[in-house]
């Protein structure tokens, strides 16, 4: 079997892969390269592996496959690439080929791909990667004293982690209610945004989820979709139009963008003081949309918050859980997250604050695993607490 048939998606990237000058600048800000230390874990190492596979000099092994899944898609490597290569697109193409052709081309049982299969199977059966029942998706609504209309101008797309872990979804809904937003949700009709299947290379499942969710949102008639999950934001705002080959007839924004708009229009006023020294952690998916100043503007508007930051760390590093890494190698994710928490402690922060449910889960697991004396706080919890009068 020739390499084009063996790796059809990757073969379309052959010229881009050959543009790599092997300079290793891509390793400078790669959390994987710093944590694992093996060359194969670095962006340059992956590029060399992929070139070898395409040129017929390398073979697929479990170690090779594992290295291709040791990427959070934070895309810091792309900022440092002298050749201007979209490494993330190349790594994604490799995962598509591994997912689509693994049974024909891999003559051994891969533990990594088995884990990928299990998670994608959950998406196909229960429409979420956590394995929870679809009807449990709205349990977070119980006791919220919020009556949601059938149609509204704003659709809050909840997402899997906010819905099943509940607190983030409850807080977001309470904030939307507090600012008198005309909003509703898809309720139990909502399905996973497809972020995990997208990063695992399961394009068919991702497209099915995208088409389904878009149809349901259009039935609601909302012109603005608000997410509290950066992963959902990325899928609905960037990947859905690509996957479906059309522009969507609704705008997709993150909750911090909505709150910043209200602050700018003098329509959001925080009431209660919160005395706390914090470090804010940027979720990678928000950075990709240049949503950097908005969360900080919100935090600075809350009375009593002392925001501490490292001036040499203009954009913070990945939590370690992106790109599906948290789902297939939680131990690796928590090791990477530990470094971010240690940075916060070194700066004198009492808490690390983020506005990503996945980052929150990764950091919480790391703080517990390594017994670190730091609190992990959702930015939206601070917002709601300050909106409410003591």
């Amino acid at each position: 079997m020739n390499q084009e048939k063996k790796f059809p998606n990757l073969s379309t990237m052959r010229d881009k892969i050959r543009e790599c000058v092997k300079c290793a600048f891509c390793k400078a800000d790669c959390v994987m390269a710093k944590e694992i230390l093996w060359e194969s874990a670095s962006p340059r190492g992956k590029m060399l592996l992929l070139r070898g596979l395409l040129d017929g000099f390398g073979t697929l092994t479990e170690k090779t496959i594992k290295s291709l899944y040791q990427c959070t898609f934070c895309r810091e490597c792309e900022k440092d690439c002298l050749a201007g290569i979209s490494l993330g697109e190349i790594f994604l193409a490799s995962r598509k080929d591994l997912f689509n052709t693994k049974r024909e081309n891999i003559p051994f049982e891969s533990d990594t791909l088995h884990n990928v299969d299990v998670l994608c199977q959950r998406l196909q059966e229960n429409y979420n990667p956590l394995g929870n029942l679809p009807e449990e998706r709205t349990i977070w609504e119980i006791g919220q004293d919020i009556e949601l209309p059938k149609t509204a101008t704003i659709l809050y797309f909840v997402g899997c982690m906010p819905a099943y872990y509940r607190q983030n979804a409850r807080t977001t809904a309470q904030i939307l209610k507090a600012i008198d937003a005309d909003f509703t949700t898809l309720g139990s009709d909502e399905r996973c945004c497809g972020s995990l299947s997208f990063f695992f290379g399961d394009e068919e499942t991702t497209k099915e989820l995208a088409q389904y969710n878009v149809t349901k949102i259009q039935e609601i008639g909302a012109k603005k979709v608000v997410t509290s999950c950066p992963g959902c934001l990325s899928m609905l705002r960037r990947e859905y139009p690509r996957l479906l080959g059309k522009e969507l007839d609704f705008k997709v924004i993150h909750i911090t963008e909505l709150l910043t708009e209200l602050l700018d229009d003098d329509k959001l006023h925080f009431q209660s003081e919160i005395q706390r020294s914090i470090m804010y952690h940027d979720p990678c998916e928000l950075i990709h949309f240049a949503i950097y100043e908005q969360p900080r503007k919100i935090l600075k508007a809350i009375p009593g918050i002392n925001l501490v930051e490292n001036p040499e760390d203009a954009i913070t590093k990945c939590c370690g859980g992106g790109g599906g890494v948290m789902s297939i190698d939680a131990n690796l994710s928590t090791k990477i997250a530990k470094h971010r928490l240690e940075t916060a402690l070194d700066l004198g922060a009492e808490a690390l604050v983020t506005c990503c449910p996945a980052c929150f889960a990764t950091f919480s697991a790391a703080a517990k695993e390594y017994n670190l004396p730091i609190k992990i706080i959702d930015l939206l919890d601070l917002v709601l607490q300050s909106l409410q009068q003591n």
Side-chain angles (χ1 to χ4, degrees):
M1 182 183 291
N2 62 42
Q3 302 307 90
E4 283 73 19
K5 289 184 179 180
K6 203 171 184 179
F7 305 107
N9 290 287
L10 198 57
S11 293
T12 65
M13 302 282 185
R14 185 188 294 272
D15 290 342
K16 290 293 182 183
I17 292 173
R18 285 178 173 169
E19 287 177 11
C20 175
V21 297
K22 307 179 186 67
C23 65
F25 279 106
C26 58
K27 297 171 62 174
D29 295 309
C30 176
V31 293
M32 285 295 167
K34 291 181 178 181
E35 182 60 43
I36 299 177
L37 300 179
W38 285 97
E39 180 66 15
S40 60
S42 74
R44 182 178 70 169
K46 289 180 176 63
M47 293 290 278
L48 291 171
L49 286 173
L50 294 176
R51 181 165 182 169
L53 290 174
L54 284 179
D55 291 345
F57 298 126
T59 58
L60 280 174
T61 64
E62 174 63 11
K63 186 175 180 179
T64 300
I65 293 170
K66 189 173 183 178
S67 74
L68 294 175
Y69 280 90
Q70 289 172 335
C71 174
T72 66
F73 285 85
C74 68
R75 296 183 182 264
E76 285 296 303
C77 55
E78 295 182 1
K79 298 174 184 176
D80 298 322
C81 180
L82 290 181
I85 302 171
S86 297
L87 293 106
E89 298 307 313
I90 293 172
F91 300 154
L92 185 61
S94 72
R95 290 188 179 189
K96 287 180 182 178
D97 286 339
L98 287 173
F99 186 87
N100 293 331
T101 65
K102 56 182 178 293
R103 289 172 180 81
E104 294 84 358
N105 299 323
I106 302 173
F108 57 87
E109 181 65 25
S110 167
D111 291 338
T112 301
L113 292 179
H114 173 72
N115 292 336
V116 168
D117 279 343
V118 169
L119 290 159
C120 288
Q121 188 67 31
R122 290 176 184 173
L123 277 171
Q124 293 162 4
E125 294 177 352
N126 292 327
Y127 311 122
N128 71 85
L130 305 172
N132 296 68
L133 296 174
E135 53 267 31
E136 295 175 348
R137 200 174 190 97
T138 55
I139 289 180
W140 68 269
E141 297 179 14
I142 297 175
Q144 294 308 292
D145 191 30
I146 298 175
E147 291 188 17
L148 298 175
K150 292 184 178 180
T151 61
T153 56
I154 294 176
L155 186 284
Y156 169 37
F157 190 89
V158 181
C160 298
M161 293 189 74
Y164 289 113
Y165 290 169
R166 302 172 192 170
Q167 184 57 45
N168 181 274
R170 289 171 176 168
T171 302
T172 303
Q174 289 169 352
I175 289 172
L176 291 172
K177 181 182 178 182
I179 63 177
D180 294 323
D182 174 31
F183 80 100
T184 190
T185 72
L186 293 179
S188 58
D189 284 337
E190 182 185 289
R191 293 181 182 177
C192 177
C193 69
S195 177
L196 207 57
S197 56
F198 174 77
F199 284 123
F200 284 164
D202 185 356
E203 196 166 32
E204 182 179 347
T205 296
T206 309
K207 280 185 177 180
E208 290 174 359
L209 292 168
Q211 186 60 68
Y212 174 88
N213 284 324
V214 167
T215 299
K216 288 297 179 181
I217 292 170
Q218 290 172 333
E219 289 175 0
I220 294 291
K223 295 303 178 184
K224 184 179 289 186
V225 174
V226 173
T227 76
S228 57
C229 172
C232 293
L233 174 78
S234 180
M235 291 304 297
L236 272 69
R237 187 150 140 182
R238 180 177 59 203
E239 304 305 339
Y240 276 19
R242 293 182 186 178
L243 289 164
L244 303 178
K246 62 180 181 181
E247 291 298 319
L248 306 183
D249 54 3
F250 49 82
K251 183 179 181 180
V252 184
I253 64 172
H254 189 256
I255 183 69
T256 56
E257 294 180 285
L258 176 64
L259 295 176
T260 303
E261 288 176 9
L262 294 175
L263 275 176
D264 291 341
D265 294 337
D266 198 30
K267 295 180 180 178
L268 182 65
H269 302 98
F270 294 112
Q271 306 293 325
S272 300
E273 185 174 307
I274 301 176
Q275 290 291 340
R276 195 179 288 273
S277 179
I278 67 163
M279 185 185 91
Y280 174 71
H281 172 82
D282 291 281
C284 296
E285 297 290 5
L286 293 193
I287 289 297
H288 296 165
F289 291 105
I291 303 174
Y292 178 76
E293 290 297 339
Q294 293 91 327
R296 288 169 172 78
K297 188 168 188 175
I298 293 168
L299 289 168
K300 290 174 182 178
I302 298 175
I305 290 291
N306 176 33
L307 183 62
V308 296
E309 301 206 68
N310 184 349
E312 297 179 359
D313 196 16
I315 297 179
T316 58
K317 309 304 178 190
C318 179
C319 71
V325 175
M326 179 174 64
S327 299
I328 59 176
D329 196 341
N331 186 49
L332 177 59
S333 289
T334 54
K335 285 182 179 179
I336 294 171
K338 173 176 175 280
H339 300 310
R340 294 303 302 151
L341 297 180
E342 288 172 340
T343 297
L345 288 170
D346 289 342
L347 291 172
E350 304 169 62
L352 180 140
V353 173
T354 189
C355 51
C356 171
C359 292
F360 182 90
T362 305
F363 284 127
S364 296
K368 181 178 180 180
E369 174 70 21
Y370 296 100
N371 195 29
L372 297 176
I374 189 169
K375 294 183 179 296
I376 313 302
I377 301 177
D378 190 321
L379 181 147
L380 297 181
D381 286 335
L382 295 178
V383 168
L384 183 61
Q385 183 181 341
S386 190
L387 283 176
Q388 299 170 334
Q389 292 186 343
N390 290 329

